[in-house]
């Protein structure tokens, strides 16, 4: 079972991905996490990606699509894949269709997490992350046991540089102009389910589990 998690920034894709990979014994491929790891490790890709990410723009497709194939080709055949943050525009979606076909694979479900804009802003402004593991917290909705410290590894949590008000506005604009068209793209293929993301993480996860049983 190969799944795409779709939704605006801050919808809860990463939060739900963490639960889903355990449930399905799947491998998560998060392009945002891959970019942040590259930035942290000062790689050439990280340096290029950072220019776009901090402005809230999409990293160019030619830098993004190959990353996904590199990650996907490392996954054992029998494992499910969970794509989080990819595809983000029509070009990426078409490249994904083509590349999956070449590999005799397919996307089985696209889970569209729907959240209103005021909720997004509140979630993103309180988000804290562990860049090494990608684990996500929220200062109010999902606080760590000790402020600023990851419960699991004891590492420091940070606020992402692109979680500023200005970059978030830009990211929402990018989502509305380039990513939201994918809802229709996958609906036409008959594999889209839309979930109400403005509930607790457990309630959202329940809806996702139910949609996968169908
Ligand atoms: P969020 O879910 O909060 O939008 P992500 O971690 O998915 O955050 O992405 C952070 C940033 O990384 C995006 O704003 C964009 O600059 C870049 N990025 C992530 N995935 C992609 C992608 N598929 N194509 C282009 N840029 C991407
Ligand atoms: P995305 O990957 O879509 O950008 P995240 O999973 O990083 O979203 O979630 C954004 C922020 O909102 C994080 O701080 C996370 O802890 C918090 N969050 C996620 N889901 C919920 C929810 N259902 N209710 C309240 N807060 C949530």
């Amino acid at each position: 079972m190969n799944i795409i998690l779709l939704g605006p920034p801050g919808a809860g894709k990463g939060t739900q991905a963490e639960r889903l990979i355990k449930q399905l014994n799947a491998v998560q491929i998060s392009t945002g996490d891959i970019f942040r790891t590259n930035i942290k490790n000062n790689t050439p890709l990280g340096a290029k990606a950072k220019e776009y990410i901090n402005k809230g723009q999409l990293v160019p497709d030619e830098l993004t699509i190959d990353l996904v194939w590199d990650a996907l080709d490392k996954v054992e055949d029998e494992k499910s894949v969970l794509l989080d943050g990819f595809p983000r525009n029509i070009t990426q979606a078409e490249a994904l269709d083509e590349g999956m076909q070449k590999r005799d694979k397919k996307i089985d479900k696209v889970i569209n997490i729907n959240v209103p804009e005021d909720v997004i802003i509140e979630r993103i402004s309180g988000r804290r992350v562990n860049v090494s593991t990608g684990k996500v917290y929220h200062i109010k909705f999902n606080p760590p046991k000790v402020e600023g410290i990851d419960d699991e590894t004891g590492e420091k949590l940070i606020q992402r540089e692109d979680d500023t008000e200005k970059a978030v506005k830009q990211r929402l604009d990018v989502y509305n102009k380039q990513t939201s068209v994918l809802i229709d793209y996958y609906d036409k293929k008959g594999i889209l389910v839309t979930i109400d993301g403005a509930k607790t993480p457990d309630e959202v996860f329940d809806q996702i589990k139910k949609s996968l049983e169908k």
Side-chain angles (χ1 to χ4, degrees), residues 7-17 36 84 88 113 119-120 122-124 126-129 136-139 141-142 160 171 197-202 204:
K13 301 181 295 295
T15 301
Q16 296 302 325
R36 279 184 290 278
D84 161 14
R88 256 182 155 94
I113 307 182
V119 175
I120 289 174
E122 195 183 14
R123 286 191 184 172
I124 292 187
R127 170 160 59 189
R128 299 292 182 273
V129 298
V136 196
Y137 294 84
H138 190 282
I139 51 171
F141 304 130
N142 179 26
R160 280 168 43 177
R171 280 155 64 202
K199 299 265 169 78
T200 67
D202 284 345
V204 177

Side-chain angles (χ1 to χ4, degrees), residues 9-10 13 31-33 35-36 52-53 56-59 64 85-88 92 127 160 162 171:
K13 301 181 295 295
T31 39
D33 283 350
F35 287 135
R36 279 184 290 278
Y52 299 92
I53 292 177
Q57 293 165 359
L58 292 186
V59 177
T64 307
F86 183 91
R88 256 182 155 94
Q92 293 181 7
R127 170 160 59 189
R160 280 168 43 177
D162 63 338
R171 280 155 64 202

Side-chain angles (χ1 to χ4, degrees), residues 93-115:
E94 287 173 351
L96 180 64
D97 283 342
E98 201 181 304
M100 291 297 271
Q101 209 173 8
K102 256 192 224 158
R103 289 165 176 79
D104 263 331
K105 289 186 176 176
K106 68 177 173 60
I107 298 296
D108 300 284
K109 272 260 160 46
V110 178
I111 298 170
N112 174 36
I113 307 182
N114 189 27
V115 178

